[in-house]
Amino acid sequence: MGRQSFVYTAHPARVIFGFDTTETLPGEVERLGASKALVLSTPHQEEQAQHLASLLGKSAAGVFAGAVMHTPVHVSEQAVAVASTLGADVVVAIGGGSTTGLGKAIALRTGLPQIVLPTTYAGSEMTPILGETENGLKKTQTTPKVLPQVVIYDVEQTMSLPVSLSGTSGINAMAHAIEALYARDRNPVTSTLALAAVKALASALPKIARDPADRDARYDALYGAWLCGICLGSVGMALHHKLCHTLGGSFELPHAETHTVVLPHALAYNAPTIPDAMAALQTVLGADPARALQELARAVGAPVSLAAIGMSADGLDRATEIAMSNSYWNPRPLEAEAIRTLMQRAFDGAPPLVEGRKTV
């Protein structure tokens, strides 16, 4: 990026990383001066939440296993009511982006501190960003009120993550780092972290697909995801995240899978206007980074088309309209016809199209 002036904002968070770090949870609750922890999870991960409650013993106020995708406002309000009834003084979220989002929504409304134990590669645990869905629209806000105080990364918690979810969750994380390379407020710190993150995940995810029990690959993937989360929390977002929020919030598409499908196409859309970022990505992804991302998805058994994850063809026009409706920064101007073409290619699972380059 050359020798130019920049601003870098570091967000305070205590990070504990390694194997078997879950055992530190009771001490971290005590360190925050708390004694009544409400443990959050999705219904699918309630058993893991109950295990944390057992680990906390008398410091556990209860379990709320109602987290769902896209953080619906009515679920957040229900969880706040439970926290109030139980007299919770800290929330402990175990899971992926859905549970982390719920913890943030509770913190926004109550001011309670948060401890997060990620079990996927979502990365949102490192950001002051909260996206909530209401009346079919997902709205995102950035505020330090939702930044977790403690994040406990335990590689053991990711060992049972299914191969399919490992792939989509990991590529979702890569999207955070890739957009950080060409964000309006990019800087040398996040750019360095972003490239390290993309390199780690691009190497680790295929290894996990071949051998889910590969502990070194699991470590590298979680490490890369942590770096991606720092990137997401440090700089702004552009077209890719806007499209994914539109598709997820208005069409109820699964979060990580949507990011996986859209990322190669969003990068290809912006490619002509971000030569420095593309050159940097070539050092870790090869000569055609957008195509490499789609091939990575195939290599890990992830979907490569919106049709495959539940999008209806008759929703593409509306999705384009929503994506164009709010003004937001992007390195390439937003062009309705080109974005509609992007949407169609993503729907079909076609190769990403870089303007001016022949494709098949």
Side-chain angles (χ1 to χ4, degrees), residues 318-339:
R318 179 168 171 249
T320 302
E321 182 181 347
I322 295 172
M324 294 291 298
S325 63
N326 295 321
S327 178
Y328 55 94
W329 184 88
N330 191 64
R332 176 181 172 183
L334 303 181
E335 303 165 16
E337 183 177 348
I339 290 177

Side-chain angles (χ1 to χ4, degrees), residues 150-197:
V150 181
V151 182
I152 300 174
Y153 288 101
D154 187 345
V155 182
E156 297 290 354
Q157 294 282 7
T158 69
M159 293 301 297
S160 61
L161 189 65
V163 166
S164 59
L165 185 53
S166 298
T168 55
S169 179
I171 296 174
N172 174 22
M174 292 173 75
H176 309 329
I178 287 171
E179 280 219 318
L181 286 170
Y182 56 81
R184 177 167 48 182
D185 49 355
R186 65 191 179 278
N187 59 75
V189 178
T190 53
S191 294
T192 299
L193 296 179
L195 281 179

Side-chain angles (χ1 to χ4, degrees), residues 9-23:
T9 301
H11 297 293
R14 178 174 166 86
V15 173
I16 301 166
F17 194 105
F19 289 92
D20 297 314
T21 52
T22 299
E23 301 301 319

Side-chain angles (χ1 to χ4, degrees), residues 58-83:
K58 292 185 293 183
S59 295
V63 170
F64 181 87
V68 294
M69 279 196 313
H70 306 307
T71 319
V73 168
H74 73 273
V75 174
S76 301
E77 291 173 346
Q78 181 184 357
V80 166
V82 171

